[in-house]
Amino acid sequence: MKHPVAAAIVLLAAAAHSPAQAGVAADHGVAPWSEAVVGVAAFAPITSLLHAEGGWTRKAAGKVNRAELAAWNLPAAASATFERWCAPQASSGCVRFIRFAGVPQRPVRLGARAWDPGGIYSLMVRSDNVPALFDAAIKAGWWAESEPVRFTFGASDLRNVVLTGPHGINIAVYQRVSPPFTAFPVGRISHAFNSMRMVSNKARARDFYLNNLGFELVFDSDKEPPEPARSNFGIPLNYTPRIPRAAAALQPVPGETGRVEVMEMQGFTGTDQSAHASPPNLGVLLLRFPVRDLAAYRQAVEAKGTKIAYAAQRVRITGLGTVDLFAVRDPDGNLTEFYHAH
């Protein structure tokens, strides 16, 4: 049986029906994010699932350059190794897993619930078979707030589940059963096309990405179905009609990838997790967007009153090249890096 669905899931399907607003990010050549940086205690518990079920492959591995650690303001005693993994045929939406050493760390969202703001909540991927992936993930020791949810939206027949791995690292998986999704190769686990941030104020977070960073608006909604619907966020069934999941998605350029999504669960007061949303902690730490004209884009961002969290030049990042970069924090403390490779 197909069920009505909470707005968190409806919005994914709604995105294609909402016109984008032009932003200045595209004018400066900001492209879809190339990779997410994820702090881990060990590589295999996550990469083994990506490889076995999604055909992801390791593209690079080794020591993290000292200049990169310094950009994150880590002490001289800190060191790190990394593995960079990508989905088949993907040029964006890869993941750089980093193991830090010589420095204290903790999970970004330690013991957090979905409605707690601060810290990147999930990376979002597509799949050609959510139930099979869910079964494989559970057998591999992953968990979820719910079993896969199936629902209809307009002409689309959809499935969704949020898989939880070590230290609360979430991968939200979407399957469009019909009509077929053809914008990019999907497979069992596609590249990451979006990233969810739980926020304390949706309008404020949306406006930061829209106005300060010059992204384009994909959708903006706070509607809920009137009937109780199963929630992939652990919300009790009888509460789903009265807890609006107000959300908006934005991206630097039009397309089906490189997105950022913000969500506020209105009616639940969460505990702020932003104090720990930085390297070297465990979890999804930041996204990296390549930029054609980094200096001009930084000037435009700063002109909007945006503070630069850190910046560095000529940093060697294996897999990206030697880059200049700067980073900003959104109103809920989440990091985003912008870089230009020489």
Side-chain angles (χ1 to χ4, degrees):
M1 178 180 179
K2 301 172 189 176
H3 299 273
V5 64
I9 306 171
V10 168
L11 293 173
L12 175 73
H17 303 284
S18 301
Q21 298 177 0
V24 300
D27 296 338
H28 295 94
V30 181
W33 51 272
S34 59
E35 64 180 32
V37 175
V38 179
V40 295
F43 299 123
I46 300 180
T47 60
S48 59
L49 182 72
L50 296 177
H51 177 67
E53 299 301 321
W56 285 49
T57 55
R58 190 177 68 180
K59 299 297 185 180
K63 292 183 178 180
V64 177
N65 187 275
R66 180 62 220 169
E68 188 175 1
L69 299 175
W72 292 329
N73 199 33
L74 297 182
S79 63
T81 56
F82 79 93
E83 292 187 0
R84 187 175 194 264
W85 287 73
C86 297
Q89 305 179 57
S91 58
S92 64
C94 298
V95 182
R96 182 179 299 265
F97 298 100
I98 299 184
R99 291 184 62 189
F100 295 94
V103 62
Q105 59 182 165
R106 53 154 280 168
V108 172
R109 293 177 54 85
L110 178 61
R113 301 307 303 268
W115 46 85
D116 292 325
I120 297 175
Y121 175 75
S122 70
L123 299 177
M124 300 160 74
V125 303
R126 291 188 182 270
S127 176
D128 60 10
N129 193 329
V130 161
L133 177 57
F134 174 76
D135 289 344
I138 295 301
K139 289 178 181 177
W142 289 61
W143 201 241
E145 287 280 6
S146 72
E147 295 185 67
V149 177
R150 186 168 181 176
F151 57 95
T152 57
F153 181 80
S156 295
D157 180 3
L158 303 167
R159 291 190 178 106
N160 169 249
V161 71
V162 179
L163 300 174
T164 300
H167 299 108
I169 296 170
N170 291 324
I171 299 179
V173 189
Y174 294 85
Q175 177 186 0
R176 194 164 79 186
V177 180
S178 65
F181 181 84
T182 59
F184 55 75
V186 174
R188 193 57 48 87
I189 307 175
S190 78
H191 71 280
F193 71 95
N194 198 352
S195 172
M196 176 71 77
R197 291 137 172 74
M198 297 302 179
V199 302
S200 56
N201 185 302
K202 186 261 291 187
R204 182 181 64 177
R206 175 203 62 207
D207 290 350
F208 174 82
Y209 289 96
L210 183 66
N211 299 325
N212 292 55
L213 299 187
F215 281 24
E216 301 174 350
L217 187 65
V218 181
F219 66 77
D220 186 4
S221 178
D222 58 3
K223 303 297 183 183
E224 291 296 336
E227 298 297 326
R230 289 174 56 203
S231 167
N232 59 343
F233 294 125
I235 299 172
L237 184 65
N238 62 318
Y239 271 78
T240 56
R242 42 185 167 145
I243 301 296
R245 274 128 288 176
L250 304 98
Q251 58 192 14
V253 291
E256 291 284 348
T257 193
R259 295 176 175 177
V260 171
E261 189 167 340
V262 298
M263 177 179 291
E264 175 192 0
M265 296 197 185
Q266 297 174 340
F268 282 168
T269 301
T271 302
D272 184 15
Q273 308 293 313
S274 63
H276 308 290
S278 300
N281 287 328
L282 302 167
V284 184
L285 299 171
L286 57 95
L287 303 182
R288 282 177 164 156
F289 289 84
V291 185
R292 183 187 66 247
D293 192 341
L294 188 71
Y297 182 58
R298 175 175 174 173
Q299 185 177 21
V301 166
E302 289 187 287
K304 292 291 187 177
T306 310
K307 293 183 179 180
I308 303 302
Y310 55 82
Q313 294 184 322
R314 297 284 176 176
V315 178
R316 182 172 56 82
I317 302 177
T318 304
L320 299 183
T322 299
V323 309
D324 297 338
L325 63 86
F326 73 88
V328 299
R329 289 190 185 274
D330 68 17
D332 293 273
N334 300 301
L335 282 170
T336 302
E337 282 187 5
F338 299 95
Y339 71 92
H340 175 76
H342 294 279

